[in-house]
């Protein structure tokens, strides 16, 4: 979408004008490319609903974007390609190495960063459209009708909000600014007043498009709202915010499509708007948080129950890799619960090795994958499939996984914390309370692999670590799993 919006920023003549007369062969080709692009976007999204077809979905969507870009480059409104080519080269030079180098764990901030650029493009198209409409060309001022004025105002409001909001989200996740919520008294009332003034100005602009002050008020307030609305949201909720901003960027792109009469932007923007919104809802549901709670709740600012009570009283028990390997080698059923730490350690390949060894010894291995494990939706599914772990071994429904855990011999928690915190069920004062979680303590034995006593993303202590049947194996996940693999192999050699 960002690519398309950027390309349109370089087209001086609105697409609608070129469609005013009879369609030329070139127009037919452009519209055909747009139709193909729209179909491929829809097919891509459909394929992405099944993990086994996710790769195909990405390819379909990428081809869709290729059609959309080619169609746009064939546009008769383009007078010169010089700046477009310069922009494409510059964008590719920055974007390609960035995308190749980014670690999976930094993906949320990378997505936020690229949203910001897409939104800059959409906002600039809006500003250019507005300025052109009221510029005298050969003694004629094109003007703007009410519908287009609304579309341009809407595009600029949501685009500007997404620009600054995405940069804020990036700053928080990259720890350039504090990830903690920044709050002040009356903040929600302040933000709601700003939203009301922005909507009122949008109303004035729609009623009388010549009111330039209304247009620039919408633009300015959009930029300001992006900052003020993201300030009170904690780093832990940023992926939900990014997904919501994604939805806003889609709406802005769709409005751009209406403003310049471009079908592919209308369709792709609507798909992105709806997709981002649905994803935000799914994520907040998996964390048992309402949208209002995420946007206005300042999650992450409350001290943990354990911190309030002066820290955990019991010390966790530990187990050596050698003893843990023996138990795993003779277990009939093992459930692995991976979390953010597995992604940080890039331990998925070693995990598959361990999995295969246990299976070879006759044990059954399954994975409990929580919807918000890691730092983005599907984070663990992606890294496990990258390591070649069969999708059939993954339990992605929390209730199903909890049923399997009840009869498991060993539950192995690898770099997960919040998603296995019993306080989510037992402590009403915990910020995690109400979030559906896995219950690994119902298995006979629980091994927890983590580097030390660090908390999870929510910053709260985890009483699982001091339960009677929990044993800690401290260390980097990749190193610990490597040791377990070595010990199981040594067992074989010893017999
Ligand atoms: P988590 O609660 O963040 O816990 C990760 C644990 O991994 C930490 O306690 C850390 O402990 C350990 N760790 C870090 N690096 C490690 C390494 N190299 N080796 C071994 N262990 C390591 O992770 P989670 O259980 O996956 O929960 C995800 C959290 O993110 C939830 O609170 C969820 O709500 C939030 N969130 C997720 C999404 C999403 O879309 N997935 C979106 C928004 C929010 P040590 O420091 O002691 O090693």
């Amino acid at each position: 979408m960002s690519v398309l919006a950027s390309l349109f920023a370089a087209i001086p003549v609105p697409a609608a004008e070129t469609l005013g007369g009879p369609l030329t062969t070139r127009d037919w080709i452009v519209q055909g490319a747009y139709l193909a692009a729209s179909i491929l976007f829809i097919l891509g999204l459909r394929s992405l609903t099944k993990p086994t077809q996710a790769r195909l979905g990405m390819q379909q969507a990428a081809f869709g974007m290729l059609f959309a870009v080619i169609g746009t480059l064939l546009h008769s409104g383009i007078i010169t390609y010089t700046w477009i080519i310069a922009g494409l080269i510059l964008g590719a030079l920055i974007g390609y190495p960035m995308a190749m180098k980014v670690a999976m764990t930094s993906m949320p901030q990378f997505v936020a960063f690229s949203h910001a650029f897409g939104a800059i493009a959409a906002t600039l198209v809006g500003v250019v459209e507005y300025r052109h409409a009221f510029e005298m060309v050969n003694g004629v001022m094109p003007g703007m009708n009410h519908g287009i004025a609304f579309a341009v105002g809407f595009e600029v409001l949501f685009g500007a909000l997404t620009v600054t909001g995405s940069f804020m989200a990036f700053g928080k996740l990259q720890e350039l600014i504090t990830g903690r919520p920044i709050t002040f008294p009356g903040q929600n009332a302040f933000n709601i007043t700003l939203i009301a003034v922005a909507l009122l100005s949008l109303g004035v602009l729609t009623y009388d498009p010549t009111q330039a002050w209304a247009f620039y008020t919408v633009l300015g307030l959009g930029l300001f709202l992006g900052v003020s609305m993201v300030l009170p949201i904690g780093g832990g909720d940023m992926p939900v915010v990014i997904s919501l901003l994604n939805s806003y960027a889609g709406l802005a792109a769709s409005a751009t499509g209406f403003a310049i009469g471009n079908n592919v932007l209308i369709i792709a923007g609507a798909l992105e708007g709806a997709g981002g919104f649905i994803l935000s809802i799914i994520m907040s549901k998996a964390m048992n948080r309402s949208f209002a709670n995420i946007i206005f709740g300042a999650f992450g600012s409350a001290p943990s129950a354990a911190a309030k009570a002066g820290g955990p009283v019991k010390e966790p028990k530990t187990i050596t890799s050698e003893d843990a390997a023996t138990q795993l080698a003779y277990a009939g059923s093992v459930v692995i619960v991976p979390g953010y730490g597995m992604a940080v350690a890039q331990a998925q390949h070693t995990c598959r090795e361990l999995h295969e060894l246990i299976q070879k010894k006759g044990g059954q291995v399954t994975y409990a994958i929580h919807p918000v494990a890691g730092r983005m939706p599907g984070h663990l599914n992606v890294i496990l499939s990258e390591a070649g772990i069969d999708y059939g071994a993954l339990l992605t429904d929390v209730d199903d996984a909890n049923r399997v855990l009840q009869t498991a011999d060993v539950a192995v928690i690898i770099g997960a914390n919040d998603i296995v915190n019993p306080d989510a069920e037992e402590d009403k004062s915990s910020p995690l309370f109400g979030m559906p979680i896995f219950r690994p303590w119902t298995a006979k034995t629980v091994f927890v692999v983590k580097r030390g006593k660090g908390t999870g993303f929510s910053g709260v202590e985890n009483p699982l670590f001091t339960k009677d049947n929990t044993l800690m194996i401290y260390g980097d996940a990749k190193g610990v799993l490597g040791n377990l693999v070595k010990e199981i192999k040594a067992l074989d050699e010893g017999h």
Side-chain angles (χ1 to χ4, degrees):
M1 208 73 50
S2 330
V3 182
L4 277 187
S6 324
L7 284 177
F8 280 111
I11 298 177
V13 183
E17 282 179 25
T18 66
L19 296 177
L23 290 184
T24 61
T25 311
R26 183 187 240 202
D27 291 333
W28 276 109
I29 295 172
V30 171
Q31 294 306 317
Y34 284 172
L35 184 64
S38 305
I39 291 171
L40 282 163
F41 288 152
I42 293 167
L43 289 176
L45 274 180
R46 197 183 137 82
S47 301
L48 282 170
T49 58
K50 291 197 186 76
T52 46
Q53 294 175 6
R55 204 176 279 265
L56 171 73
M58 288 308 295
Q59 285 161 353
Q60 287 168 323
F63 268 109
M65 190 51 84
L66 186 67
F67 273 107
V69 170
I70 291 173
T72 305
L73 288 175
L74 291 175
H75 206 285
S76 54
I78 297 177
I79 297 165
T80 165
Y81 283 95
T82 316
W83 290 108
I84 294 179
I85 292 169
L88 282 176
I89 292 175
L90 193 67
L93 281 180
I94 300 172
Y96 185 78
M98 246 167 72
M100 294 309 283
K101 269 198 182 156
V102 69
M104 278 303 280
T105 44
S106 305
M107 209 40 112
Q109 49 265 54
F110 178 71
V111 172
F113 198 62
S114 46
H115 277 168
F117 283 103
I120 288 176
T123 311
L124 285 180
V125 173
V127 174
V128 168
E129 282 299 304
Y130 188 76
R131 289 178 63 92
H132 276 173
F134 296 102
E135 239 169 33
M136 210 58 107
V137 181
N138 301 330
V140 182
M141 189 192 284
M144 192 172 254
N145 68 33
H146 302 295
I148 298 293
F150 175 76
V152 168
F154 185 93
E155 167 192 348
V156 162
L157 175 61
F158 278 85
L161 194 158
T162 308
V163 173
T164 47
S166 299
F167 277 131
M168 285 291 293
F170 171 78
K172 284 198 172 208
L173 287 168
Q174 197 63 24
E175 292 173 5
L176 300 176
I177 48 173
T178 175
R180 290 258 151 210
I182 300 169
T183 54
F184 57 83
Q187 194 168 25
N188 288 342
F190 176 72
N191 283 340
I192 289 168
T193 310
L194 289 185
I195 295 170
V197 176
L199 293 179
L200 208 70
S201 307
L202 179 60
V204 173
L205 178 72
T206 310
Y207 180 72
D208 182 0
T210 61
Q211 299 297 326
W213 67 265
F215 177 79
Y216 290 108
T217 304
V218 168
L219 173 65
L221 284 178
L223 289 170
F224 192 82
L225 273 166
V227 177
S228 69
M229 285 177 74
V230 177
L231 272 183
I233 303 172
D237 285 332
M238 257 334 117
V240 183
V241 173
I242 291 169
S243 170
L244 197 60
L245 289 171
N246 180 16
S247 164
Y248 292 164
L251 292 178
S254 200
T256 312
F258 279 107
I260 63 176
N262 184 276
N263 295 336
V264 79
L265 266 180
I266 296 174
I267 295 171
L271 289 173
E272 189 179 4
F277 190 65
I278 292 169
L279 185 59
S280 311
I281 292 176
I282 292 173
M283 283 160 82
S284 15
K285 217 168 134 191
M287 293 194 273
N288 195 36
R289 317 265 312 283
S290 67
F291 249 155
N293 182 260
I294 285 175
I295 306 297
F296 302 114
F299 182 68
S301 55
S304 71
K308 278 186 243 159
V313 271
K314 273 164 84 179
E315 267 302 306
K317 289 175 286 193
T318 57
I319 183 169
T320 62
S321 296
E322 196 183 346
D323 292 343
T326 311
Q327 287 204 41
L328 287 172
Y330 297 107
S333 142
V334 174
V335 179
I336 294 175
V337 184
Y340 175 66
M342 178 188 280
V344 175
Q346 288 292 295
Q348 62 273 27
H349 296 278
T350 326
C351 184
R352 196 206 60 232
E353 253 188 276
L354 179 70
H355 170 157
E356 285 169 357
L357 278 176
I358 299 170
Q359 254 179 349
K360 229 164 83 185
K361 305 275 291 164
Q364 201 201 356
V365 181
T366 43
Y367 293 79
I369 309 292
H370 196 278
V372 293
R375 289 292 179 271
M376 60 183 178
H379 198 167
L380 274 306
N381 304 52
V382 172
I383 64 167
L384 290 177
S385 87
E386 176 200 328
I389 289 162
D390 180 26
Y391 194 75
L394 311 191
L395 300 163
T396 50
D397 181 274
V398 176
D399 293 332
D400 284 350
N402 280 331
R403 266 190 291 278
V404 176
L405 277 163
Q406 279 172 357
T407 55
D409 292 318
V410 188
V412 190
I413 317 300
I414 307 174
N417 197 334
D418 291 346
I419 58 168
V420 288
N421 191 327
D423 275 352
E425 291 183 341
E426 294 161 9
D427 180 1
K428 281 199 175 138
S429 69
S430 169
L432 291 173
F433 187 74
M435 174 167 126
I437 43 135
F438 294 131
R439 298 191 198 107
W441 59 91
T442 59
K444 283 199 192 99
T445 306
V446 186
F447 294 155
V448 177
V449 179
K450 69 202 290 286
R451 295 165 309 175
K453 293 186 178 153
T455 52
F457 208 90
S458 66
V460 299
E461 298 295 340
N462 191 338
L464 166 73
F465 306 150
T466 49
K467 284 207 184 265
D468 290 341
N469 59 342
T470 301
L471 298 160
M472 311 295 289
I473 316 176
Y474 290 122
D476 174 77
K478 194 171 176 179
V480 170
L481 297 187
N483 287 342
L484 291 174
V485 166
K486 241 191 318 196
E487 295 292 348
I488 296 183
K489 283 184 178 161
L491 280 176
D492 277 346
E493 284 155 17
H495 281 94

